[in-house]
Amino acid sequence: MNGNGRTPLIVGNWKMNKTTGQAVVLAQDIANLHYRDYKTVETVLCPPFVDLKSVNGVLEYDRSALRLGAQDVFWEISGAYTGAISPEMLREVGCSYCIVGHSERRAYFGETDADVNRKVHALLRAGIVPIICVGEGLELRDAGDRQAESFILEQVEAALEGLNDRDVSTIVIAYEPIWAIGTGRTATPEQAQAVSVAIRACLGERCGWENARKLRILYGGSLKPENVALFVPMPDIDGGLIGGASLDARAFIDLMKAWL
Ligand code: PGA
C-alpha cells in the first residue's frame, strides 16, 4: 500500500504481440522474476485473447501472485456477436481485470464513450475490474491544460454513467495521453499528477470522497525503467499501464519494483 492506502497496480498491455508459444515464454520469464514477497504491488499481465488460457496455466502452475487481464471485452453475455468475447468467458479463463477504452480501440475500432460505459457495466456484473483508459490527443494538450482536462473528465464521466458510488471505488482509471503512447515521449510527472488530481476531485464530487480516495489511477505512455522513478513519488498516481516495456520481462519487473 502507498501512503494513501491504495495498493499500487502495474499492468502490462501486450497489445497484438506474442503467439501462444511466445506468450508462454514471456509469462514464464516474468513469473521467474516475480517473487512472492512482492506483495505490496499488484501486477497484471494482459496478453491477447488467444493467449489468456495458456498464460493463466503458467501463472497457476507457478502459484504466481501475478494476475491475468484482458485487453477488451464485449458487453453482451452471449449470442450472435461474431468475433466477440463476453465477460463470462474472460472470468472463466482466469481474468480478474480488463482494459477498456484504450485509445487504440477508440481510434482503430471506433469504440465510443457509450461502448466503454456498457463494457464497464458488463465487467462489474461479472466481477471483473475494468481498467478504463482516458486521455487527450496532442491538439488538445497544445490547446492548454484546461482544455485537455475537461476532455478527459468528460470521458471519465461518460464511462461511469449509471454506476453506483461503491462500484466507482473498485474500478481503475488509466490516464494515457495519446501523444505519449509508444512515442518515447511521456507526460511530465507534474502533468500526469495534475490530471490524476482532477479525475479524483471530479469523482469525489460525484460519488463521495471516501470512494474517490480508494480508486486507483494509473499513468500510461512510454513508461520505462529509466523514467519510472519520476512518477512514483506523485501522490495521486497509483501505478502504470505499460505497453512496449511490458514485452521485456526484466524491464517490466524493474518497472514494478520501482513501486514496491
Ligand atoms: P507504451 O503503451 O508503454 O508502449 O507507450 C502504453 C499503452 O498503450 O498502454
Side-chain angles (χ1 to χ4, degrees), residues 6 149 153 175 189-205 209 212 217 234-237:
R6 299 182 290 269
E149 253 169 50
L153 296 183
Y175 168 52
E190 293 74 22
Q191 272 171 338
Q193 165 67 12
V195 169
S196 304
V197 167
I199 293 173
R200 208 179 294 286
C202 160
L203 295 179
E205 273 173 33
W209 285 98
I217 301 175
M234 296 292 139
D236 283 275
I237 302 176

Short mmCIF file of all heavy atoms in Angstrom, two decimals, residues 6 149 153 175 189-205 209 212 217 234-237:
data_model
loop_
_atom_site.label_atom_id
_atom_site.label_comp_id
_atom_site.label_asym_id
_atom_site.label_seq_id
_atom_site.Cartn_x
_atom_site.Cartn_y
_atom_site.Cartn_z
N ARG A 6 -3.73 2.99 -0.92
CA ARG A 6 -4.05 2.26 -2.16
C ARG A 6 -2.87 1.37 -2.55
O ARG A 6 -1.72 1.78 -2.42
CB ARG A 6 -4.34 3.26 -3.30
CG ARG A 6 -5.52 4.17 -3.02
CD ARG A 6 -5.80 5.09 -4.19
NE ARG A 6 -4.79 6.11 -4.40
CZ ARG A 6 -4.83 7.32 -3.86
NH1 ARG A 6 -5.83 7.68 -3.09
NH2 ARG A 6 -3.86 8.19 -4.09
N GLU A 149 -7.92 18.79 -19.76
CA GLU A 149 -8.56 18.24 -18.57
C GLU A 149 -10.07 18.09 -18.74
O GLU A 149 -10.66 17.09 -18.33
CB GLU A 149 -8.27 19.12 -17.36
CG GLU A 149 -7.27 18.45 -16.43
CD GLU A 149 -6.76 19.39 -15.38
OE1 GLU A 149 -7.56 20.07 -14.70
OE2 GLU A 149 -5.53 19.46 -15.26
N LEU A 153 -12.10 14.61 -18.34
CA LEU A 153 -13.17 14.44 -17.34
C LEU A 153 -14.49 14.04 -18.00
O LEU A 153 -15.26 13.26 -17.44
CB LEU A 153 -13.34 15.70 -16.49
CG LEU A 153 -12.12 16.06 -15.63
CD1 LEU A 153 -12.40 17.28 -14.77
CD2 LEU A 153 -11.67 14.89 -14.75
N TYR A 175 -4.76 7.09 -17.01
CA TYR A 175 -4.59 8.29 -17.80
C TYR A 175 -3.47 8.05 -18.80
O TYR A 175 -2.31 7.85 -18.41
CB TYR A 175 -4.27 9.49 -16.90
CG TYR A 175 -3.79 10.69 -17.71
CD1 TYR A 175 -4.55 11.15 -18.79
CD2 TYR A 175 -2.59 11.32 -17.42
CE1 TYR A 175 -4.10 12.22 -19.56
CE2 TYR A 175 -2.15 12.39 -18.18
CZ TYR A 175 -2.90 12.84 -19.25
OH TYR A 175 -2.45 13.88 -20.03
N PRO A 189 5.72 14.25 -15.07
CA PRO A 189 5.07 13.72 -13.87
C PRO A 189 4.08 14.73 -13.29
O PRO A 189 3.02 14.35 -12.79
CB PRO A 189 6.24 13.47 -12.91
CG PRO A 189 7.44 13.35 -13.79
CD PRO A 189 7.18 14.20 -14.99
N GLU A 190 4.40 16.01 -13.39
CA GLU A 190 3.51 17.04 -12.84
C GLU A 190 2.21 17.11 -13.64
O GLU A 190 1.13 17.26 -13.07
CB GLU A 190 4.20 18.42 -12.85
CG GLU A 190 5.38 18.55 -11.90
CD GLU A 190 6.64 17.80 -12.38
OE1 GLU A 190 6.75 17.54 -13.61
OE2 GLU A 190 7.50 17.47 -11.54
N GLN A 191 2.32 16.98 -14.97
CA GLN A 191 1.10 16.95 -15.80
C GLN A 191 0.23 15.75 -15.42
O GLN A 191 -0.99 15.87 -15.25
CB GLN A 191 1.46 16.81 -17.28
CG GLN A 191 1.72 18.10 -18.01
CD GLN A 191 2.29 17.85 -19.41
OE1 GLN A 191 2.86 16.81 -19.70
NE2 GLN A 191 2.12 18.84 -20.27
N ALA A 192 0.86 14.59 -15.31
CA ALA A 192 0.11 13.37 -15.01
C ALA A 192 -0.52 13.46 -13.62
O ALA A 192 -1.66 13.04 -13.40
CB ALA A 192 1.02 12.15 -15.11
N GLN A 193 0.22 14.04 -12.67
CA GLN A 193 -0.32 14.23 -11.32
C GLN A 193 -1.51 15.18 -11.36
O GLN A 193 -2.54 14.92 -10.74
CB GLN A 193 0.80 14.74 -10.39
CG GLN A 193 0.34 15.32 -9.06
CD GLN A 193 -0.29 14.30 -8.11
OE1 GLN A 193 -0.20 13.09 -8.32
NE2 GLN A 193 -0.95 14.78 -7.07
N ALA A 194 -1.38 16.27 -12.11
CA ALA A 194 -2.47 17.26 -12.16
C ALA A 194 -3.74 16.62 -12.74
O ALA A 194 -4.85 16.84 -12.23
CB ALA A 194 -2.05 18.47 -12.99
N VAL A 195 -3.58 15.81 -13.78
CA VAL A 195 -4.75 15.15 -14.37
C VAL A 195 -5.35 14.17 -13.36
O VAL A 195 -6.57 14.09 -13.20
CB VAL A 195 -4.38 14.44 -15.70
CG1 VAL A 195 -5.52 13.54 -16.16
CG2 VAL A 195 -4.02 15.46 -16.77
N SER A 196 -4.49 13.44 -12.67
CA SER A 196 -4.99 12.46 -11.68
C SER A 196 -5.77 13.16 -10.57
O SER A 196 -6.81 12.67 -10.12
CB SER A 196 -3.83 11.65 -11.09
OG SER A 196 -3.12 11.03 -12.12
N VAL A 197 -5.25 14.29 -10.12
CA VAL A 197 -5.94 15.06 -9.08
C VAL A 197 -7.30 15.52 -9.60
O VAL A 197 -8.32 15.42 -8.90
CB VAL A 197 -5.09 16.28 -8.63
CG1 VAL A 197 -5.92 17.25 -7.79
CG2 VAL A 197 -3.87 15.81 -7.86
N ALA A 198 -7.33 15.98 -10.85
CA ALA A 198 -8.60 16.46 -11.43
C ALA A 198 -9.60 15.31 -11.53
O ALA A 198 -10.79 15.48 -11.23
CB ALA A 198 -8.34 17.07 -12.80
N ILE A 199 -9.14 14.13 -11.92
CA ILE A 199 -10.04 12.97 -12.01
C ILE A 199 -10.58 12.62 -10.62
O ILE A 199 -11.77 12.42 -10.42
CB ILE A 199 -9.31 11.75 -12.63
CG1 ILE A 199 -8.97 12.02 -14.10
CG2 ILE A 199 -10.15 10.48 -12.49
CD1 ILE A 199 -8.10 10.96 -14.76
N ARG A 200 -9.67 12.59 -9.64
CA ARG A 200 -10.11 12.20 -8.29
C ARG A 200 -11.08 13.24 -7.72
O ARG A 200 -12.07 12.89 -7.07
CB ARG A 200 -8.89 12.02 -7.37
CG ARG A 200 -9.15 11.02 -6.26
CD ARG A 200 -7.95 10.80 -5.35
NE ARG A 200 -6.80 10.17 -5.98
CZ ARG A 200 -6.71 8.90 -6.30
NH1 ARG A 200 -7.70 8.09 -6.06
NH2 ARG A 200 -5.62 8.41 -6.87
N ALA A 201 -10.81 14.51 -8.00
CA ALA A 201 -11.71 15.56 -7.49
C ALA A 201 -13.09 15.43 -8.13
O ALA A 201 -14.12 15.54 -7.45
CB ALA A 201 -11.10 16.94 -7.79
N CYS A 202 -13.10 15.16 -9.42
CA CYS A 202 -14.38 15.02 -10.13
C CYS A 202 -15.16 13.84 -9.55
O CYS A 202 -16.37 13.93 -9.32
CB CYS A 202 -14.05 14.85 -11.61
SG CYS A 202 -15.31 14.12 -12.62
N LEU A 203 -14.46 12.74 -9.27
CA LEU A 203 -15.14 11.56 -8.73
C LEU A 203 -15.55 11.79 -7.28
O LEU A 203 -16.57 11.27 -6.82
CB LEU A 203 -14.25 10.33 -8.85
CG LEU A 203 -13.97 9.94 -10.31
CD1 LEU A 203 -13.07 8.73 -10.37
CD2 LEU A 203 -15.28 9.66 -11.04
N GLY A 204 -14.74 12.56 -6.57
CA GLY A 204 -15.08 12.87 -5.18
C GLY A 204 -16.42 13.59 -5.11
O GLY A 204 -17.27 13.30 -4.26
N GLU A 205 -16.61 14.54 -6.04
CA GLU A 205 -17.87 15.27 -6.06
C GLU A 205 -19.02 14.37 -6.48
O GLU A 205 -20.14 14.49 -6.00
CB GLU A 205 -17.78 16.44 -7.03
CG GLU A 205 -17.23 17.66 -6.34
CD GLU A 205 -16.95 18.79 -7.30
OE1 GLU A 205 -17.70 18.90 -8.29
OE2 GLU A 205 -16.00 19.53 -7.05
N TRP A 209 -15.97 11.51 -1.29
CA TRP A 209 -14.51 11.47 -1.18
C TRP A 209 -14.00 10.12 -0.71
O TRP A 209 -12.93 9.68 -1.11
CB TRP A 209 -14.04 12.60 -0.26
CG TRP A 209 -14.14 13.88 -1.01
CD1 TRP A 209 -15.15 14.79 -0.95
CD2 TRP A 209 -13.24 14.35 -2.01
NE1 TRP A 209 -14.93 15.80 -1.84
CE2 TRP A 209 -13.76 15.57 -2.50
CE3 TRP A 209 -12.05 13.87 -2.52
CZ2 TRP A 209 -13.12 16.30 -3.49
CZ3 TRP A 209 -11.40 14.61 -3.51
CH2 TRP A 209 -11.94 15.81 -3.98
N ALA A 212 -13.76 8.06 -3.77
CA ALA A 212 -12.76 8.59 -4.71
C ALA A 212 -11.35 8.34 -4.20
O ALA A 212 -10.42 8.12 -4.99
CB ALA A 212 -12.98 10.08 -4.92
N ILE A 217 -5.60 5.30 -9.83
CA ILE A 217 -5.39 6.00 -11.10
C ILE A 217 -3.97 5.69 -11.58
O ILE A 217 -3.00 5.89 -10.83
CB ILE A 217 -5.59 7.52 -10.94
CG1 ILE A 217 -7.01 7.81 -10.43
CG2 ILE A 217 -5.33 8.23 -12.28
CD1 ILE A 217 -7.29 9.27 -10.12
N MET A 234 4.63 10.72 -7.15
CA MET A 234 3.41 11.52 -7.36
C MET A 234 2.25 10.90 -6.56
O MET A 234 1.89 9.74 -6.79
CB MET A 234 3.04 11.57 -8.85
CG MET A 234 4.08 12.28 -9.69
SD MET A 234 4.11 14.03 -9.28
CE MET A 234 5.86 14.35 -9.30
N PRO A 235 1.67 11.67 -5.62
CA PRO A 235 0.75 11.06 -4.65
C PRO A 235 -0.56 10.52 -5.24
O PRO A 235 -1.18 9.65 -4.64
CB PRO A 235 0.45 12.19 -3.66
CG PRO A 235 0.89 13.43 -4.33
CD PRO A 235 1.96 13.07 -5.30
N ASP A 236 -0.97 11.03 -6.41
CA ASP A 236 -2.24 10.54 -6.97
C ASP A 236 -2.05 9.58 -8.13
O ASP A 236 -3.01 9.17 -8.77
CB ASP A 236 -3.12 11.72 -7.39
CG ASP A 236 -3.74 12.34 -6.17
OD1 ASP A 236 -4.79 11.86 -5.72
OD2 ASP A 236 -3.14 13.29 -5.61
N ILE A 237 -0.80 9.19 -8.40
CA ILE A 237 -0.55 8.19 -9.45
C ILE A 237 -0.24 6.87 -8.74
O ILE A 237 0.72 6.77 -7.98
CB ILE A 237 0.62 8.62 -10.37
CG1 ILE A 237 0.29 9.97 -11.01
CG2 ILE A 237 0.88 7.56 -11.43
CD1 ILE A 237 1.40 10.55 -11.86
#
